[in-house]
Amino acid sequence: MSTSRVDRPLGRGRGIPEATVARLPLYHRSLMGFADRGVATVSSEELAAAAGVNSAKLRKDLSHLGSYGTRGVGYDVDYLVYQVARELGLTQDWPVVIVGVGNLGHALANYGGFTSRGFRIAALVDSDPARTGELVNGLAVQSLGRLEEIIDEADVSIAVVATPASAAQEVCDRLVAAGVTSILNFAPVPLQVPSGVDVRKVDLASELQILAFHELRKQMSSLAALPQLAAHPARPGHPAHPALAPRSEATG
Amino acid sequence: MSTSRVDRPLGRGRGIPEATVARLPLYHRSLMGFADRGVATVSSEELAAAAGVNSAKLRKDLSHLGSYGTRGVGYDVDYLVYQVARELGLTQDWPVVIVGVGNLGHALANYGGFTSRGFRIAALVDSDPARTGELVNGLAVQSLGRLEEIIDEADVSIAVVATPASAAQEVCDRLVAAGVTSILNFAPVPLQVPSGVDVRKVDLASELQILAFHELRKQMSSLAALPQLAAHPARPGHPAHPALAPRSEATG
DNA sequence: TCGACTTTGTGCGTCCGTTCACAAGGGCTT
DNA sequence: AAGCCCTTGTGAACGGACGCACAAAGTCGA
Ligand SMILES: NC(=O)c1ccc[n+]([C@@H]2O[C@H](COP(=O)([O-])OP(=O)(O)OC[C@H]3O[C@@H](n4cnc5c(N)ncnc54)[C@H](O)[C@@H]3O)[C@@H](O)[C@H]2O)c1
Ligand SMILES: NC(=O)c1ccc[n+]([C@@H]2O[C@H](COP(=O)([O-])OP(=O)(O)OC[C@H]3O[C@@H](n4cnc5c(N)ncnc54)[C@H](O)[C@@H]3O)[C@@H](O)[C@H]2O)c1
């Protein structure tokens, strides 16, 4: 969704659509579920149901990786797991640095799901001296000053930004300068990066707001015919509505 | 991205494209930034830069809400903030229930960004009796048994699922049965819901895997010409590659 | 009052993603 | 060995999103 447009480096042979890439992790997880249950073969219909997608879409997605199915039978689970994992780069362990070990950073550092999916938390970094040395999930929080050193030593190319919004761009710049080329950003600011660096953002407040939008429509269609409560506020002046005053804690 | 297809209730007058809806929170946040800095008017160019999008896209997005700009001048910040907020339903406070107060649930409950953006955490619910009564951000964790009661009393229509994957569907079913019609799901499972209920999922492991996919391509184009390390594994048999064995902690 | 300048709002071409529907292909039974 | 049946892989139609480029529309200075 928000991966910065790269200049499509490979000449069309390996051109897997971005939408497909975004679903591969889903397929991988569903396939692992079948594998764990001892299932040897799945049809596109079954796998699609488990992943919650259309079966035609699943087949087209998989066809971009190669022709790994058997007509009349389905897909060999182990074989397909391997192919998807290889495509995703999960056959290696990616060292990841988490910058900002507050509420969210702690949750991420304590999460076991990353480790089991090809990622290893290489370091935790925080600018707060009071946090330096704190053990989180067996890993000591390190000072922000060591950031470049850490990235270099552990050969880190993927970083997670979980700092306040006000610090995110600065942290991002340092990460990129130190050699990081993929960033997962939790701060509600659009990060500026040079081309060649991918950024994906996770914006939890936005997700709720999108839900609220649809929720509002549902409510409106329920309470269908009611008198208009208030006229629209005057055009150029200030909104007549008293709500929505609170300062955003960090807008960017 | 993953809002379940609703039957488009309103007859085309209010038809705002989903892609536009997903960006409105972004615009709202950027606008709040301008407002906080005392800026009275912004051009589409400035606002687009702040939001990190194309200015033509921004203008087209805003045009779906109405004709709120002034040609030759730009947009009145306060007025536009109000219009966007109204469209998103942020002029009211949405009570939200968080189910599952573990690592992630704690982080969410402690986060101030929700409260300042139109959401109020109405209750925290967890199935673990040891957690019941625990104070998180001034709110006591309640037992799972009270779920329906809570939803009914506080008139909750938006819920956050932060339970383990294995419990997510069951929790989801209870939420829906109790009247919740919007769910933000952090568990890595595709939730099944009846039509009329919206689900958005946040899948952090997937985000990292998508980054890893692109990262792999970058590495491959760097280390361009190297001997093939290993041949492809045998077709129907088990993958020759020894990696990727770990059980997924919670898959389906 | 008029004209030059600025910026919005949008028509349109293009691209990407989704879905239907079916032919091609492989296994299994007889 | 032959045909039946099942499932894959994909051609093609469709729809939505994006971004260019420009006309419409309003402001501001002279
Ligand atoms: N907690 C949530 O549930 C949640 C939800 C949505 C978005 N977010 C966003 O995620 C980010 C982190 O949220 P949080 O709740 O963990 O905040 P937090 O304040 O609890 O933690 C932020 C941490 O970053 C550290 N930090 C500050 N500046 C830094 C710098 N320059 N370099 C390194 N570390 C630095 C702070 O010392 C602190 O430990 C914020 O941008 C927030 O808006 C959080
Ligand atoms: N922590 C992270 O950073 C992270 C990252 C990605 C995904 N996730 C996903 O988010 C979810 C929560 O993660 P977590 O790290 O907070 O896990 P956790 O184990 O720390 O917390 C889960 C909580 O849910 C409670 N719970 C279990 N069953 C329940 C039920 N039926 N009803 C109500 N509560 C129940 C448990 O008591 C526990 O407190 C998981 O599905 C996980 O895969 C978490």
Side-chain angles (χ1 to χ4, degrees):
Chain A
M1 184 198 296
S2 69
T3 298
S4 75
R5 194 60 46 201
V6 189
D7 35 299
R8 204 170 276 290
L10 299 179
R12 197 79 307 245
R14 269 293 130 116
I16 300 183
E18 190 57 32
T20 296
V21 172
R23 281 185 294 266
L24 288 182
L26 195 62
Y27 302 152
H28 181 255
R29 185 147 40 212
S30 300
L31 281 167
M32 293 292 276
F34 283 107
D36 284 355
R37 271 174 276 140
V39 177
T41 304
V42 280
S43 68
S44 64
E45 206 69 52
E46 294 167 319
L47 183 51
V53 303
N54 182 298
S55 71
K57 179 152 59 179
L58 170 72
R59 286 199 299 276
K60 184 151 286 185
D61 282 343
L62 292 183
S63 75
H64 287 116
L65 312 190
S67 212
Y68 297 142
T70 307
R71 294 171 192 237
V73 176
Y75 300 88
D76 181 88
V77 172
D78 286 346
Y79 185 64
L80 193 55
V81 164
Y82 170 72
Q83 291 298 342
V84 174
R86 189 174 54 82
E87 205 69 39
L88 282 172
L90 303 186
T91 54
Q92 56 186 283
D93 252 35
W94 296 95
V96 174
V97 163
I98 297 178
V99 186
V101 193
N103 286 317
L104 199 54
H106 271 86
L108 296 171
N110 281 318
Y111 184 51
F114 297 139
T115 311
S116 68
R117 265 179 244 294
F119 301 94
R120 176 173 47 84
I121 299 182
L124 305 173
V125 177
D126 201 295
S127 64
D128 186 350
R131 281 237 156 80
T132 307
E134 180 189 344
L135 276 183
V136 182
N137 201 13
L139 211 58
V141 175
Q142 305 190 55
S143 90
L144 184 59
R146 291 211 48 216
L147 185 62
E148 287 77 7
E149 206 176 333
I150 292 166
I151 290 172
D152 192 55
E153 283 173 4
D155 197 26
V156 172
S157 53
I158 303 179
V160 174
V161 174
T163 66
S166 53
Q169 183 63 57
E170 187 188 2
V171 164
C172 170
D173 292 344
R174 285 182 63 177
L175 289 169
V176 170
V180 165
T181 47
S182 288
I183 294 175
L184 182 56
N185 179 34
F186 286 90
V189 241
L191 294 182
Q192 306 288 341
V193 293
S195 87
V197 177
D198 284 342
V199 176
R200 294 188 67 87
K201 68 165 186 292
V202 175
D203 191 336
L204 306 183
S206 286
E207 296 296 329
L208 281 181
Q209 290 182 351
I210 295 166
L211 286 175
F213 173 89
H214 294 293
E215 202 56 42
L216 195 65
R217 306 299 141 135
K218 293 179 207 163
Q219 286 194 1
M220 281 168 56
S221 63
S222 295
L223 314 176
L226 274 189
Q228 268 75 11
L229 299 172
H232 287 208
R235 258 310 284 286
H238 286 260
H241 209 287
L244 58 88
R247 293 297 82 147
S248 57
E249 95 286 26
T251 311
Chain B
M1 183 197 294
S2 69
T3 298
S4 76
R5 193 61 44 202
V6 188
D7 36 301
R8 203 171 276 291
L10 299 178
R12 194 78 314 237
R14 269 292 130 120
I16 299 181
E18 191 57 32
T20 295
V21 172
R23 282 186 295 267
L24 288 182
L26 195 63
Y27 302 152
H28 181 256
R29 184 146 43 209
S30 300
L31 281 167
M32 293 293 276
F34 283 108
D36 284 354
R37 272 174 274 141
V39 177
T41 304
V42 281
S43 68
S44 65
E45 205 70 52
E46 294 166 320
L47 183 52
V53 301
N54 184 297
S55 71
K57 179 153 58 179
L58 170 72
R59 287 198 297 278
K60 187 157 287 185
D61 282 342
L62 293 183
S63 77
H64 287 115
L65 311 192
S67 212
Y68 296 143
T70 307
R71 294 171 192 235
V73 177
Y75 300 88
D76 181 88
V77 171
D78 286 346
Y79 185 64
L80 193 54
V81 164
Y82 170 72
Q83 291 298 342
V84 174
R86 188 174 55 81
E87 205 69 38
L88 283 171
L90 303 185
T91 54
Q92 56 187 281
D93 252 35
W94 296 96
V96 173
V97 162
I98 297 178
V99 185
V101 193
N103 287 316
L104 199 55
H106 271 85
L108 295 170
N110 281 317
Y111 184 51
F114 298 139
T115 311
S116 68
R117 267 179 244 293
F119 301 95
R120 176 173 47 84
I121 300 183
L124 306 173
V125 177
D126 200 293
S127 64
D128 186 351
R131 280 239 157 79
T132 307
E134 180 189 345
L135 277 183
V136 183
N137 202 11
L139 211 58
V141 175
Q142 304 190 55
S143 89
L144 185 59
R146 290 211 46 212
L147 186 62
E148 287 77 8
E149 206 176 333
I150 291 166
I151 290 171
D152 192 56
E153 284 174 3
D155 197 25
V156 173
S157 52
I158 304 180
V160 174
V161 173
T163 66
S166 54
Q169 183 63 56
E170 186 188 4
V171 164
C172 170
D173 291 343
R174 285 183 61 178
L175 288 169
V176 169
V180 165
T181 47
S182 289
I183 294 175
L184 183 55
N185 178 34
F186 286 90
V189 242
L191 294 182
Q192 306 287 343
V193 292
S195 87
V197 177
D198 284 340
V199 176
R200 293 188 67 86
K201 70 163 184 293
V202 176
D203 190 335
L204 306 182
S206 286
E207 296 296 329
L208 281 180
Q209 291 182 349
I210 294 167
L211 286 175
F213 172 89
H214 294 293
E215 202 56 43
L216 195 65
R217 308 298 141 136
K218 294 180 206 163
Q219 287 193 0
M220 282 169 55
S221 62
S222 296
L223 315 175
L226 273 190
Q228 269 75 11
L229 298 173
H232 286 208
R235 257 311 284 284
H238 285 261
H241 209 288
L244 59 85
R247 297 294 84 146
S248 58
E249 95 284 29
T251 311

